[in-house]
Amino acid sequence: MLLRKGIFILLCMAVFMQACETKSDISDVRLTILTTIPPLYSFTKNITGDIANVENLLPNGADPHDYSFGPADIKKVSKAQVIVKSGLGLETWLDTLLASAAENAAARGQELFVVDSASGVDVINNDPHIWLSPVRAVTQVKNIRDALIRVDPENAETYSLNASSYINRLMELHGEIKAEADKFKTKEFVAFHSAFRYFADDYGLDQVAVIQESPGVEPSPSAITRVIDMIRDRNIRVIFSEVGSSHKIVNSIAGDLGLEVYGLDTLEKGMQSKEWYENKMRFNIEIMKEAFSK
Ligand SMILES: [Zn+2]
């Protein structure tokens, strides 16, 4: 009886250990990659497929320009091997977060690799909104691909192949947007904040003014007057607000001037999926088709 009990316990231990080993094998081989904003999630997930664990750091609805991170974020970052940031000063809070997480990660002997996706991108006036230009997004994808190949060379071929097919899709998207933008009757617009400068640069549009010049800072009455004068002087017919945010000031300016407001998606906030980036860019082009046809 005693012997039987002993064998039973041994068997249980063997099964338990096997289960533990299998579990730790899986968590050891899969890289954990954190992205800061949803477009970077789409880019990274398309490069890795299921061979890495990709998560977006910011919760749905959080503004990356002025995010306040908490202890849960420090924990997440200290468990990750790779962080993908958009760069160009978008994530002003990230250095402090990385410093807080670095100690925990070092204590576990873990190294954290930070990918600056903006490296080598054709930049205008240090504006961080590069993801809204599919052409510049291709450079971001290449930067993420190259970093993943450095961190995880065993899967280099998968990263390369996946990145190539995703880049083809982004160039298709670029072609589609260009074909539509070429047909726009008007080209000038006013936006809530300076998100669409690169988009305008790619497709021959003109972002003549923005209402909120600094992220998170309400425009002064004199700045608002300047925008209104500019809209009148140049006879601008298109004014964009942003989906997911209520900008009373945009509605009030548009109301005064008798303009209709159209809501674009800056792709700074949202749910994450592989197709999210392409879907949202196509959503924007549908809105623009309507706005620029007048
Ligand atoms: Zn922005």
Side-chain angles (χ1 to χ4, degrees):
M1 185 68 194
L2 240 179
L3 185 67
R4 263 199 187 160
K5 210 174 184 180
I7 289 169
F8 179 72
I9 289 168
L10 267 175
L11 264 173
C12 278
M13 276 179 70
V15 170
F16 178 70
M17 279 169 74
Q18 204 181 15
C20 280
E21 266 172 34
T22 317
K23 200 172 171 228
S24 72
D25 280 347
I26 291 168
S27 58
D28 280 346
V29 290
R30 270 176 41 118
L31 273 185
T32 294
I33 307 166
L34 284 179
T35 57
T36 53
I37 55 171
L40 298 175
Y41 176 91
S42 296
F43 302 163
T44 308
K45 192 69 186 165
N46 277 285
I47 299 170
T48 65
D50 291 329
I51 61 171
N53 169 35
V54 186
E55 266 180 67
N56 199 61
L57 179 68
L58 267 65
N60 186 9
D63 184 346
H65 285 288
D66 54 7
Y67 182 57
S68 327
F69 65 84
D73 297 308
I74 299 175
K75 209 169 160 189
K76 266 193 198 171
V77 171
S78 46
K79 281 184 183 162
Q81 283 94 51
V82 182
I83 310 273
V84 180
K85 67 171 182 176
S86 195
L88 295 168
L90 176 77
E91 303 98 335
T92 46
W93 41 270
L94 188 62
D95 283 348
T96 323
L97 172 57
L98 290 176
S100 312
E103 236 172 77
N104 298 353
R108 276 209 293 276
Q110 201 150 358
E111 235 182 293
L112 192 60
F113 196 94
V114 182
V115 185
D116 183 354
S117 73
S119 174
V121 169
D122 179 16
V123 174
I124 308 171
N125 294 344
N126 261 344
D127 190 316
H129 304 86
I130 47 176
W131 62 88
L132 287 161
S133 147
V135 175
R136 287 167 177 91
V138 165
T139 306
Q140 293 186 281
V141 168
K142 288 179 179 172
N143 285 332
I144 300 166
R145 173 201 65 195
D146 294 348
L148 294 182
I149 290 174
R150 269 202 302 282
V151 177
D152 182 20
E154 271 184 30
N155 288 310
E157 206 185 330
T158 307
Y159 295 139
S160 273
L161 288 173
N162 289 349
S164 292
S165 67
Y166 189 57
I167 287 168
N168 288 341
R169 271 169 42 198
L170 293 180
M171 290 315 290
E172 259 172 46
L173 174 71
H174 169 60
E176 265 178 60
I177 300 174
K178 195 171 179 322
E180 291 300 338
D182 286 348
K183 292 186 270 186
F184 291 165
K185 282 189 195 155
T186 49
K187 306 279 180 187
E188 294 176 318
F189 66 95
V190 167
F192 178 72
H193 89 291
S194 175
F196 290 90
R197 193 198 302 265
Y198 293 106
F199 188 95
D201 183 55
D202 278 1
Y203 304 111
L205 306 176
D206 189 1
Q207 177 183 275
V208 292
V210 292
I211 295 162
Q212 188 192 60
E213 287 182 2
S214 307
V217 181
E218 286 310 305
S220 66
S222 64
I224 293 170
T225 308
R226 270 202 308 278
V227 171
I228 290 174
D229 289 347
M230 168 99 76
I231 294 173
R232 279 212 181 98
D233 291 350
R234 294 181 61 167
N235 194 26
I236 308 291
R237 307 304 303 157
V238 179
I239 183 162
F240 289 120
S241 66
E242 294 166 8
V243 288
S245 311
S246 84
H247 298 132
K248 283 185 193 147
I249 186 67
V250 180
N251 294 328
S252 112
I253 293 174
D256 287 352
L257 295 166
L259 299 175
E260 202 174 326
V261 177
Y262 296 90
L264 290 181
D265 200 317
T266 62
L267 280 69
E268 291 174 343
K269 306 166 186 176
M271 294 297 290
Q272 298 90 46
S273 78
K274 272 172 103 169
E275 294 77 23
W276 188 87
Y277 176 79
E278 293 152 282
N279 292 344
K280 289 292 172 184
M281 292 298 282
R282 289 193 170 99
F283 164 85
N284 279 343
I285 200 72
E286 287 305 314
I287 301 290
M288 286 184 188
K289 269 158 77 174
E290 204 187 326
F292 288 119
S293 66
K294 297 195 169 155

